[in-house]
Amino acid sequence: MLPVRLTADPLSVVGLLVAIIGGVCLGTLSGLVPGLHANTLALLLAAIAGNVPGPRLYVGAAMLAAGVTHTFLDVVPALALGVPDPAMAAGALPSHRLVIEGRGREALRLSALGSGGAVLLAVPLAVPVTAAMMRHYPLVSAHLTLVLVGIAALLVVTEGGLRRRIGAVLSLSASGALGLALLDAPVSSALPVADVLVPLFSGLFGAPVLLAAIEGDGVPPQADARVTTPPRAIALLATVGTLCGAAVGYLPGVSSAVAATLALGLTTGNGPRAFVVTTSGVNTATAVFALFALVAFGDPRTGVLVALDRAAVPLALPSLLAAVAVAGVAGALLVPTLGDRYLRTVGRLDPTWLSVSVLAGLVCLSAVFAGAVGVGAFGAATLVGHLPPRFGCRRATLMGVLLVPIAL
């Protein structure tokens, strides 16, 4: 089922390692850009991959390393600015709350532990899970709508109180309407690829937080980096995130954001630290499971793997897993190192100037990736994004933007 031919050629190993390191550097830069989706990065890479010199395997390893590294680093702007990558969007508000409480450095390390644990768990689990999915995939796919309806119902019923449940229903419905109207809308882009997810998620999850922060006090000084969550709890939460991430890798049309929503429903009531660990675990586990699914089914399920497929990258699993492993180690080290500096830098800036500047940047990103439709989508999504705080329900209910269109 899986190609496992290894090479002992030192020059080939060095070439592969150089490509992976280049991908890690690119993924680090993209992960630190507020609102930039890993799939958008991957499709941009696919558009230029044909012009990149070198063996296709090296190009593919660099692309995969960039995608994995991005899944580690994208938590940094989500924490510091409240502007998430789409896959981190469901847990953006709880993680940002830790920063407001002065526990941002701890949150960075929790995210690194969640993502790192997901890599360690996903690789050994991928083989038996892939074998099981090959047997049961038709049954799961046939009942995908019921699965998604169950996730939506879980989000509603786990809200405390009638007002919050009404807010959850409204948020799911309004965001779902946005998704139905815009996900398949024809959009123009100044780049080789268009992506309406950038304006939608930036408006739903980022803009409301930034607007609220305009009159705020900014990022407060951060306390020590000590992790207060017990190791056993972190391991359990990372496992939940990894298992939910498995669904993303094998089910068509289900993104890591949907799996993160499921994980959040399963860990509801466990506090913001649980949100950080589980959403980070989901985000990173997706890369591993989706890679195995591509080898087994021949069908790319994430943007990064679509890029690999378009670039005609040979599916040499050991080399590609090496890219995942190296990027995982690098990402786990970079998150606290760069994240601490990121938080300190943001903390020194005037909150009004910072919020307005990032909002302007998000509008520009919306225009670049989706043209005039993107700017309109950003405005509409910003209005819908104010529903959860108005009713006191979780922002995860805004994931109806994906749940509703996929279910229908």
Side-chain angles (χ1 to χ4, degrees), residues 155-325:
L155 288 173
V156 173
V157 300
T158 53
E159 291 286 356
L162 179 61
R163 179 179 173 83
R164 291 185 176 182
R165 290 175 183 172
I166 292 174
V169 172
L170 290 175
S171 297
L172 280 166
S173 302
S175 60
L178 271 180
L180 289 172
L182 294 170
L183 286 182
D184 293 326
V187 295
S188 60
S189 172
L191 300 173
V193 294
D195 187 358
V196 76
L197 284 178
V198 171
L200 280 177
F201 278 90
S202 296
L204 287 171
F205 296 96
V209 176
L210 290 168
L211 289 170
I214 288 177
E215 299 299 329
D217 296 325
V219 174
Q222 300 299 301
D224 61 81
R226 180 173 55 92
V227 174
T228 58
T229 304
R232 180 176 298 181
I234 293 175
L236 177 60
L237 292 168
T239 301
V240 171
T242 302
L243 294 177
C244 291
V248 175
Y250 300 96
L251 296 180
V254 182
S255 73
S256 55
V258 174
T261 304
L262 174 60
L264 295 181
L266 294 175
T267 59
T268 185
N270 291 335
R273 290 169 176 79
F275 281 85
V276 174
V277 177
T278 52
T279 51
S280 299
V282 166
N283 202 13
T284 303
T286 299
V288 177
F289 287 113
L291 176 60
F292 276 81
L294 175 62
V295 174
F297 296 101
D299 186 14
R301 307 294 171 88
T302 68
V304 173
L305 296 184
V306 168
L308 260 69
D309 189 56
R310 291 184 181 179
V313 174
L315 299 180
L317 191 59
S319 297
L320 296 179
L321 283 178
V324 172

Side-chain angles (χ1 to χ4, degrees), residues 85-189:
D85 168 279
M88 292 298 296
L93 185 61
S95 59
H96 189 60
R97 190 160 63 241
L98 287 174
V99 176
I100 301 303
E101 295 172 357
R103 301 303 305 172
R105 298 181 66 199
E106 178 188 5
L108 288 168
R109 284 147 183 83
L110 286 171
S111 176
L113 289 170
S115 291
V119 172
L120 293 175
L121 291 167
V123 171
L125 282 175
V127 173
V129 171
T130 300
M133 285 301 298
M134 292 181 72
R135 290 194 301 270
H136 302 295
Y137 174 75
L139 178 64
V140 175
S141 181
H143 295 87
L144 181 59
T145 296
L146 290 177
V147 173
L148 297 180
V149 170
I151 294 173
L154 182 65
L155 288 173
V156 173
V157 300
T158 53
E159 291 286 356
L162 179 61
R163 179 179 173 83
R164 291 185 176 182
R165 290 175 183 172
I166 292 174
V169 172
L170 290 175
S171 297
L172 280 166
S173 302
S175 60
L178 271 180
L180 289 172
L182 294 170
L183 286 182
D184 293 326
V187 295
S188 60
S189 172

Side-chain angles (χ1 to χ4, degrees), residues 361-387:
L362 292 179
V363 173
C364 292
L365 275 178
S366 300
V368 167
F369 281 102
V373 173
V375 176
F378 176 79
T382 299
L383 293 176
V384 175
H386 281 86
L387 285 173

